[in-house]
Amino acid sequence: MDLIDLRSDTVTKPTSEMLAAMAAAEVGDDVFGEDPTVKKLEETAARIMGKEACLLVTSGTMGNLVAVLTHTKKGEEVLLESESHIYYYEVGGLSALAGAMPRLVQGQRGRITPQGLADAVRPGNIHFPSPSLLCLENTHNRGGGTVSTPSEMHEVIALARQLGLRIHLDGARIFNAALAAGVRVSALAEGCDSVMFCLSKGLGAPVGSLLAGSREFINSARKWRKMVGGGMRQSGVIAAAGLVALETMTERLAEDHANAKFLAAGLANIPKLTLDADLVQTNIVVVELGQELGGADDFLTRLKAEGVLATNFGPHSVRFVTHKDVNRQGVDYALQVIARMVR
Ligand SMILES: *Cc1c(COP(=O)(O)O)cnc(C)c1O
């Protein structure tokens, strides 16, 4: 039997329509600005995000790094949530490569509130680095796939503006967020100077993320992308799959959300596991393991032996992510395995 791989939505394989589009893509050298398929993807994505321009990057990590490089100067302070992806999972690139000084904001399940931001920003003083950028994340991965609504975002953005900050949105899963909030992605990107989103997660494309913003921002970001080695040549091959992802894969995310809710409801009924199924909003389910189950690594090893994969999300917590390549039957199988294991 195939493994039920719930480690991440990044494990999704390209669809046959994507593979056909990749094979047929019209390409050129994109560093010379000559790849028509990349141009089409960048224009399409900019329109969807409600921004002037867009840039194809190799990964979400590169998109976030290029955004920080473009928005900030060395030594400036970047405010971001204490468990944000940029801070937690991107190898410290914002410090190591962009020379930025992170200052952490305490969020509520990853969501930054105006109060949290106000508490984190210090008044101007000769001792302090100058704050210049606020990074938001929607959906918030470590928060458990939590969604910020446009009005929640706008309250924080309004305060950030008063404080003179620029705003970058890590929207790796912005289509999941928009679907759950019942709004267009452009409503979530509104007010942000830049937004990054991934084609290679729930949308199923093999490679690629996009960074959107003003034309001036993207012109500058294009040079930073070149500097960090992200200038690609016949990248229309990748972009072709990205276009299919945007056309065909955004609405079906509802299925992933329904499967996550089903999984969460099932897990909540299993003794020794703790989670609030009502808090599951998108395709991420995080569960706390009772002490008697041993640690997360041990639990995951036993789960793998039964053909189910998930990820370590802390010493006693495990993350499951639903996606197009695991159907309801697969999720149900995972639930049965876990119920048996825990008993
Ligand atoms: C996955 C992810 C990224 C990074 O994307 P990669 O393509 O894996 O580099 C950034 N932010 C969030 C919130 C993510 O979940």
Side-chain angles (χ1 to χ4, degrees), residues 59-61 64 85 90 137 141 170 172-173 196 198 201 209:
S59 66
T61 300
N64 285 331
H85 198 280
E90 298 184 7
E137 184 174 319
N141 180 0
D170 175 350
R173 296 188 179 85
M196 183 285 291
C198 295
K201 293 195 167 167
S209 292

Side-chain angles (χ1 to χ4, degrees), residues 281-340:
Q281 295 180 289
T282 56
N283 68 331
I284 296 178
V285 179
V286 180
V287 62
E288 299 297 321
L289 311 175
Q291 295 289 337
E292 65 271 41
L293 291 176
D297 281 335
D298 190 48
F299 182 85
L300 291 169
T301 304
R302 288 193 290 145
L303 201 55
K304 188 176 178 182
E306 302 280 347
V308 177
L309 304 181
T311 49
N312 183 318
F313 227 45
H316 294 278
S317 64
V318 167
R319 184 190 75 167
F320 300 87
V321 183
T322 55
H323 56 78
K324 75 171 183 70
D325 292 344
V326 176
N327 61 18
R328 176 62 62 98
Q329 208 186 335
V331 174
D332 195 38
Y333 176 81
L335 267 176
Q336 288 172 35
V337 164
I338 296 163
R340 190 159 13 97

Side-chain angles (χ1 to χ4, degrees), residues 104-119:
L104 300 181
V105 182
Q106 214 54 54
Q108 291 176 353
R109 303 185 71 241
R111 285 174 293 224
I112 291 178
T113 61
Q115 191 58 54
L117 178 60
D119 290 346

Side-chain angles (χ1 to χ4, degrees), residues 244-264:
V244 174
L246 290 176
E247 280 157 24
T248 66
M249 302 299 285
T250 61
E251 275 157 38
R252 66 148 306 287
L253 295 173
E255 212 178 297
D256 302 342
H257 294 186
N259 281 337
K261 287 196 169 79
F262 175 78
L263 177 64

